[in-house]
Structures are given as structure tokens and as C-alpha cells.
Amino acid sequence: MATVLVLATATGCDSGDKNTSRAASVPTGLGQFYGQKPAWKSCRNGFECATVQVPLDYTKPSGEKVGISLIRLPAEDKSERIGSLLTNPGGPGGSGVDFVRQAARSFGTDLRRRFDIVGFDPRGVASSAPVRCNTGPQLDEFFATDASPDDPNETNRLGSESKAFAQRCKAKADAELPYVGTLNAARDMDVLRGALGDQKLTYYGASYGTYLGAFYAEQFPKNVRALVLDGAVDPKLSSTDLLIEQAKGFETALRAFADNCVKSGGCAFGNTPDAVIDKVSSFLTSTDKKPLNNTRDSRKVTESLAVMGIARALYVKEYWPVLRQALTQAMQKGDGTLLLALADEMVERKANGTYSNQTDANMAVNCVDKPNPANLATYGKAAAQAKKVAPRFGPFVVWGGLPCVYWPAQTEQAPHPITAKGAAPIVVIGTIRDPATPYKWAQSLAGQLSSGVLLTFDGDGHTAYLQGNSCITKATDEYLISADPPKNGTTCR
């Protein structure tokens, strides 16, 4: 369950002035990439699609190339168009093409009027030379394996499954694995900026997309026009510390769900938040001993799949009624069908048993982005620490990253603070009860960035901008259009 969301010449007013400053320089040897002109073609419902080439290895620009898939919803007012708003929905492993196709028209009215809303599949993801390691049945087995081992045999089995995952990636994608990390994806973003005709980058990144955006700002600070980093990931944390803190975030979200259940009335799980959480804990313990049946297929709903289903529902507050229904069915009838449906949605498993490449790509990026513990025993210590501070989610979240211990590709660099000195103001949005990217990460990233500005959403759910809060929408849209940030420390409710 590892962390399982460009400007043409401006013709407008004051915001155009900030976007038509001297063009960014092209890195040596990369002119052929920056000078590309995407061949946009209609791809249904008002969208246009294209492909831009980037080098697989930036140290060998004349070598193998990777096609980066793009999609855009053109600006509605060509006379007032500022340029393109590049976006990334997170993951790592999330398809930016799918994100824009699904969510572009949910962006603010003023943004859609003045920007092309652009999405891209990062290298290794979806339609951009996807990393594919596992078959559907292999991923079914991986996700169903007990990720909260109670004895050495269960721990060793988890280790064997994780090692097999890594070995399959080596067998099927060995040549790609060293180059799919965030460092190279950020370089690709600057090529996209140039190929799209933008002198500086305007960007919205959610979840892992904040990490990608921060890496971009670190490498190309002078090319930043306006960056919104929504649901921040803290770049200075180690791989296991990130997972432990994420697990604590899910615990915070579970308590918010429990509180909401009690206050809404008719909560079937208890009369106090503590009682609800105790009931969920007891349910998970019983599921560990006796997995649930489901009516979708022959799979058993193990404790790991049940936790994954709960976690998926905690991402979005609108899913909380669904979670109440899923838990009621599971606890009262022994029916894990709805929990399994939520778990399948989390990892993009289709009804026919196939998966998108989200899981393979997620692991491939995470495993090269940061160093990992050297062996199973050392990794187990981090999982034990996670269980102490996040009893329900800690083991599952941390053990989910175990394949990285056996990963065949080397880590790009050690964790470190990102300052992006010299960059224009960068807005970091944090949601106080965010389950997947804890609020403290937004506080930390905004503090690290030399030009960081913290915008807080006092709410629930993962990321803030597309939740429809008028205060967040107004502050974000005004900044992206004008490049003038809101006051540091602004809070929206």
C-alpha cells in the first residue's frame, strides 16, 4: 500500500508582463527537445492530444528517447490567454492525461478562460513508456499478502512476495528503471515548458505532484512563474519516515471519520469516536484470522485488502457514507464486497482482473527516489515503529514499500531540504486533516522553500483545490493568473 493527484506568448494584462520576461536558456545539447512543436490532434470532447520526445538518459541526449503523452483543454478566451497550466495529479504513477480528461472542467472558471489546462503522463506511467512488471494475478497475490505480519513465517512470506515483485521488474523493465525517478521527470517538465512555448512554468501539482514540482523548482528556479503545490510531500524525510508519517495521517483521518459518524447519528459502530475506532480495530483483527467473502469474484478479503479499502474511502470525505456502508456490511454480514471494491479502486484494478500500471510505476519511482533500508530485518524495525504510532495503518503502509529493499536500480540522491533559491513565490497548500499527506508536510515544505507561501485548508480529505472550497479556489486562481501569492499563513475554512 505504498504511497497508494507551457505558456505561449501572453496577450493579456499585468499577468502577461510576468510571463513574457526573457526566455529561459536551453540546456546544452537539448535544443532538439526544447524546440519541438507538439502536433496537437483532437481527442474527443474538446480535448487535444500530442506527444513530446525527451531523452531517456539526459547525459546521453542523442541516445534512446521516451515519448511523453500530453493532453490539453484549450483556453476558452484566446484574446486573454496567458498560456498553459501544467498539472500533475500525484501517485507517483497517476496518469496526468486521465486526470485532465476527468478534472479539467472542475478547475476555476477564470483559469479555464485564460489557460490551456495541460496534463502529461510522466515517464514510466500510463501511455509514456509505461513500466510493467506484474500480471493481474501476481498483483492480486501481492496485495492480498498479510502486510501486518504476526510471526517470522508471515514476515518471510511478505519478504518473498516483495522480492519477487522487484525481480519481475528487473526482468521486464531493467533498462528503464534507473531513469524513471522524479529527478528526470522534473527535467522532462522543463522540456515540456519549452516545447509548449512557455518562457516560464505555471503549474498545479497535487500530492506526489508537489514533490515533482519542488524538484522542478530546485533544478530550474529561474524558470518558475507560479507553482501551486497542493497536499505537500516533505522532501527532507527518509523513505520510511515518509511512510510512517503517512500512516499517522490515515489515523488522523480515521478519527475524523469516527467523529463524523457519531455526530451524524445512527452510527452502527459506537457512541463515541474511541468506541468506533476500537470497533474498527477489532474488525481488522478478526479479518486477519478469518478473511471475508465477496460477491465480485473468488478472492478472499484479507486484512490487508480491508485496510486498503478503508484507506481509499478516507481520501475523500464524500466517500465516508460509502465507508459506513462497507463496514456495516463487513461487520454485520461478513460481506467484504464493498470494501474490496474500494480497495480495487485504490490500486486501479479493473473488473476483468487487469490493472493499470499505477502500482508498478509507483514502486519504480519511489524505489529510485530515496535510499531504503538494507534488508528485511532493518525494514521490520521501521514497521514496528509505525505500528506503535499508527496501530491500524502503520504496518500496512510501511510494509507496502518493502520491494524497494530488493530493487535492482540505484537511488538517485539522498533526501534533503529543497530551497529553490531564486524562484518566484511558490504556494504550498496544506489540508489540516489530510490522510495521505499530513499537514505538517505542507508546513515543512513551505518553510524550506526560500519563496514558499503557506495556504491552509481547515478541512478533511486529500488535497484541497478541487474540493470546491470558494476561499481556496479564489486564492489559488488569483495567484496562478497574476503570479501574486496570497498572504503567507492564510487559512480557509
Side-chain angles (χ1 to χ4, degrees):
M1 212 173 87
T3 307
V4 146
L5 215 253
V6 194
L7 303 181
T9 302
T11 57
C13 48
D14 59 345
S15 54
D17 293 338
K18 289 184 169 69
N19 195 41
T20 55
S21 55
R22 185 166 56 90
S25 60
V26 175
T28 302
L30 298 178
Q32 62 174 314
F33 299 103
Y34 279 79
Q36 295 173 85
K37 303 297 182 185
W40 295 103
K41 295 181 180 179
S42 174
C43 53
R44 305 190 317 276
N45 300 325
F47 291 96
E48 298 174 345
C49 295
T51 301
V52 166
Q53 299 293 318
V54 298
L56 175 67
D57 181 352
Y58 274 90
T59 68
K60 300 174 181 178
S62 60
E64 187 176 346
K65 297 175 179 60
V66 174
I68 303 297
S69 293
L70 294 170
I71 190 171
R72 73 178 179 185
L73 183 66
E76 295 173 359
D77 188 341
K78 298 297 188 272
S79 67
E80 292 291 321
R81 180 181 178 274
I82 296 172
S84 298
L85 172 62
L86 193 66
T87 66
N88 180 275
S95 168
V97 170
D98 289 349
F99 171 68
V100 163
R101 188 174 289 282
Q102 295 163 7
R105 290 185 172 92
S106 297
F107 279 69
T109 302
D110 289 340
L111 286 185
R112 287 184 283 114
R113 186 172 65 85
R114 304 197 65 186
F115 286 96
D116 298 341
I117 309 298
V118 179
F120 69 103
D121 289 343
R123 57 172 63 207
V125 175
S127 53
S128 295
V131 172
R132 290 195 177 275
C133 311
N134 298 279
T135 65
Q138 287 168 339
L139 285 176
D140 282 349
E141 185 69 18
F142 176 74
F143 286 122
T145 301
D146 191 342
S148 181
D150 302 313
D151 57 50
N153 287 336
E154 290 184 348
T155 301
N156 289 334
R157 183 181 175 198
L158 188 58
S160 296
E161 279 293 325
S162 298
K163 187 173 184 179
F165 189 122
Q167 289 174 335
R168 289 191 290 266
C169 283
K170 179 175 175 59
K172 295 183 179 181
D174 193 41
E176 304 167 61
L177 295 182
Y179 306 106
V180 297
T182 302
L183 200 62
N184 281 316
R187 290 171 177 161
D188 295 344
M189 283 172 55
D190 203 53
V191 172
L192 296 181
R193 175 197 59 75
L196 290 164
D198 300 327
Q199 295 172 1
K200 294 196 174 186
L201 181 71
T202 305
Y203 173 78
Y204 169 82
S207 194
Y208 161 79
T210 69
Y211 190 68
L212 180 57
F215 265 68
Y216 178 87
E218 181 180 51
Q219 295 182 78
F220 305 101
K222 299 297 186 183
N223 296 357
V224 169
R225 176 184 173 273
L227 269 57
V228 172
L229 309 181
D230 183 5
V233 176
D234 188 343
K236 76 177 189 303
L237 295 181
S238 71
S239 60
T240 51
D241 282 346
L242 274 171
L243 294 174
I244 291 170
E245 288 298 323
Q246 185 180 62
K248 289 163 66 176
F250 280 110
E251 297 284 347
T252 297
L254 179 63
R255 179 159 292 276
F257 163 78
D259 185 61
N260 176 267
C261 186
V262 171
K263 289 180 178 177
S264 297
C267 186
F269 319 119
N271 296 323
T272 67
D274 283 342
V276 174
I277 290 173
D278 288 344
K279 184 77 170 178
V280 171
S281 297
S282 298
F283 160 69
L284 292 173
T285 299
S286 67
T287 305
D288 187 27
K289 297 174 182 176
K290 185 181 179 181
L292 306 170
N293 293 317
N294 84 94
T295 60
R296 289 161 61 91
D297 52 39
S298 62
R299 288 177 293 162
K300 293 292 186 180
V301 182
T302 63
E303 182 185 13
S304 293
L305 290 171
V307 172
M308 192 185 302
I310 294 170
R312 174 65 188 101
L314 292 176
Y315 268 85
V316 185
K317 190 173 183 178
E318 286 70 24
Y319 274 34
W320 289 5
V322 180
L323 180 56
R324 288 178 66 167
Q325 182 183 356
L327 289 173
T328 298
Q329 290 179 356
M331 292 179 185
Q332 296 182 0
K333 301 178 181 179
D335 181 359
T337 303
L338 192 47
L339 276 176
L340 184 62
L342 289 166
D344 286 350
E345 183 177 317
M346 177 94 156
V347 293
E348 296 187 2
R349 184 189 191 273
K350 302 171 187 175
N352 64 4
T354 64
Y355 290 74
S356 75
N357 93 309
Q358 173 190 274
T359 296
D360 292 340
N362 178 282
M363 204 69 70
V365 175
N366 280 332
C367 291
V368 299
D369 269 358
K370 292 175 181 281
N372 289 276
N375 52 52
L376 180 63
T378 306
Y379 204 95
K381 293 178 181 177
Q385 180 186 349
K387 187 172 184 177
K388 291 179 181 178
V389 297
R392 283 147 293 272
F393 295 97
F396 300 93
V397 173
V398 173
W399 281 118
L402 183 60
C404 293
V405 169
Y406 309 102
W407 208 248
Q410 295 297 311
T411 302
E412 289 185 331
Q413 58 183 332
H416 61 279
I418 289 181
T419 61
K421 187 176 180 180
I426 297 172
V427 171
V428 180
I429 307 177
T431 299
I432 288 181
R433 292 174 295 281
D434 191 312
T437 50
Y439 177 63
K440 65 191 295 186
W441 290 357
Q443 294 174 303
S444 178
L445 180 58
Q448 291 170 45
L449 292 166
S450 61
S451 58
V453 175
L454 180 63
L455 175 61
T456 297
F457 175 45
D458 185 358
D460 300 285
H462 182 40
T463 72
Y465 178 67
L466 293 176
Q467 289 202 41
N469 178 273
S470 60
C471 173
I472 290 290
T473 300
K474 184 174 185 291
T476 302
D477 290 3
E478 288 182 354
Y479 162 66
L480 288 172
I481 289 168
S482 69
D484 292 324
K487 182 180 179 181
N488 185 38
T490 298
T491 298
C492 295
R493 292 178 172 83

